[in-house]
Amino acid sequence: MNGQKERLMVLDMIAEGKITAEEAEQLFKAMDEIGDESGSTAPELVPPLSHLSHLESIPTSPSSTGRSSAKELIAALKEAGIDQVTLSDMQELQGHRLTAEYVREIRALGLEPDGLGEWINLRAHDITPRYVRDLRDMGVKDLEVDELTELRDHGVSAKYISSLRDMGVKDLEVDELIELSDHDVSAKYIAELRQVGFKNLDVDELVELSQHNVSLKYVVELREQGLTDLDIDDIVELSSHGVSPKYIGELRKLGFKDFDADDLVELGSHGVSPKFIAELYKLGLKNLDIDELVELGAHGISPEFIAEMHKLGFKDLDIDDLVELANHDVSPQFIAELRGLGFKDLDIEDFIELRNHDVLANFIKSMHELGLKNLDVDDLVELRNHNVSPRFVRELREMGFKDLGVDELIELSDHGVTPRFLREMREQYGETLSLSQLLE
């Protein structure tokens, strides 16, 4: 049997209801005749249409499903400039319900899809002749296949375009129609915006408002809170930063009356909630202005942080003090640990100085254990700055240097007198080398 693989494909198409038995018989006859003419026993392609002219003499009738025959479809495709179709092509065309009638209707509308791929693309996206005609009635003309499929994919119908035109939104490009549809900009939405005075909006403004969930209700409630002079940019900013009318109302109850859109955006974007403000009030931080609240929020200074500082005795801290502490990572835990090591009378600047030089509780505790007690802030900072570590001190003590002061330790470190160096010198010059000799 000629073309065994192709014949099995045809049988599969019959089984799947994609072609009729009569259409399959015509394909088998064509395959047999082409096989005889070419001498080939396994043709892979339905021959070029020019080689199938003999099919025109085969009597055909429409299938019971109303579909055009394979011969009619091949003829219509030939008229569209497609001269060669494989059996697999035929299977795909039938699978997408591409008919001769469809091909001719689309071409009658002036569309000339480029190759089988574009024809299949049209059918796969359900681009009907009526859809094309309806778009043209709305003034959307001269569209290519990819533009039609894009519009269909994004739910842009003639009815949708008509509703926009009724609102005065006309002469839109394909990209603009898609943008509006994707962001659910309906005629109803446009009408609601007009109720609050937003007229003659362009596509970008409509998309921006919809994208940030700016509704008629939102604008009305903002105005009820006294924000009556907001433009589109203001409203979008407020919505995008989660500033609700309820939030504004709660701020007013806390005594904030004179603020504009920028103030509200700053508060909202830095997490300054009414609850945050109320907790600050309980801690005695009242009469704060918006800039101060934003400063606290921006630096992550929580009411819990301030309460812990109060417990440690720092009750008169102003905003700048709190910001300095937070910026230098001076936590209540850090202060409590140092106080536990005897540093009871340090002020804020001392704690910041120690934290800046990475003088932590473990460092101080280790130095104490090595006999270096009664160190003040300057001593600790100097030791840290000159890389005098607890390990360095411990190794020197193990070599007999037990009573070295801060200045001597710093001098040894600065001159590169390491424990290893000391061992080498002693091996060379004896165990009685003094510190001054080593430094020479």
Side-chain angles (χ1 to χ4, degrees), residues 391-393 395-396 399 416-424:
R391 179 180 177 182
F392 179 80
V393 177
E395 290 181 349
L396 289 175
M399 298 182 72
V417 179
T418 64
R420 179 179 178 181
F421 174 80
L422 284 172
R423 283 191 291 270
E424 291 173 353

Side-chain angles (χ1 to χ4, degrees), residues 379-436:
D379 291 334
L380 290 165
V381 169
E382 281 291 297
L383 289 170
R384 201 52 145 162
N385 284 348
H386 291 272
N387 299 313
V388 178
S389 67
R391 179 180 177 182
F392 179 80
V393 177
R394 185 181 302 108
E395 290 181 349
L396 289 175
R397 285 173 61 83
E398 290 170 354
M399 298 182 72
F401 297 96
K402 297 183 179 180
D403 299 318
L404 299 177
V406 171
D407 292 339
E408 291 171 314
L409 288 166
I410 289 172
E411 190 170 8
L412 286 170
S413 179
D414 285 350
H415 285 83
V417 179
T418 64
R420 179 179 178 181
F421 174 80
L422 284 172
R423 283 191 291 270
E424 291 173 353
M425 291 298 99
R426 282 183 170 179
E427 288 173 4
Q428 195 169 2
Y429 299 106
E431 298 289 330
T432 60
L433 282 173
S434 66
L435 181 62
S436 60

Side-chain angles (χ1 to χ4, degrees), residues 112-217:
E112 293 291 345
D114 184 14
L116 286 176
E118 287 203 349
W119 280 107
I120 291 170
N121 207 24
L122 285 172
R123 291 303 286 130
H125 290 84
D126 196 27
I127 306 297
T128 64
R130 178 176 178 180
Y131 180 72
V132 179
R133 285 192 294 270
D134 288 347
L135 289 180
R136 288 183 176 180
D137 289 343
M138 291 296 106
V140 184
K141 302 177 180 179
D142 302 321
L143 297 179
E144 297 179 359
V145 170
D146 60 344
E147 292 176 317
L148 284 166
T149 57
E150 277 285 295
L151 288 171
R152 184 62 118 177
D153 282 349
H154 291 272
V156 179
S157 66
K159 182 178 179 181
Y160 176 70
I161 297 171
S162 177
S163 68
L164 295 178
R165 285 167 63 88
D166 291 343
M167 297 304 301
V169 183
K170 303 177 181 179
D171 303 321
L172 298 176
E173 301 290 336
V174 169
D175 290 345
E176 293 175 320
L177 288 167
I178 289 171
E179 274 285 293
L180 292 172
S181 179
D182 282 354
H183 290 91
D184 297 321
V185 179
S186 64
K188 179 183 177 184
Y189 181 69
I190 296 171
E192 289 176 348
L193 292 175
R194 289 184 176 179
Q195 288 181 43
V196 289
F198 293 123
K199 301 178 180 179
N200 302 317
L201 299 175
D202 60 28
V203 171
D204 290 339
E205 290 171 326
L206 288 167
V207 167
E208 188 82 358
L209 289 166
S210 179
Q211 189 175 8
H212 290 91
N213 300 313
V214 177
S215 64
L216 169 65
K217 179 182 178 183

Side-chain angles (χ1 to χ4, degrees), residues 266 269-272 276 292-301 327:
E266 282 289 298
S269 61
H270 289 96
V272 180
F276 177 85
E292 290 173 320
L293 289 168
V294 168
E295 191 80 358
L296 291 173
H299 290 89
I301 300 168
N327 282 351

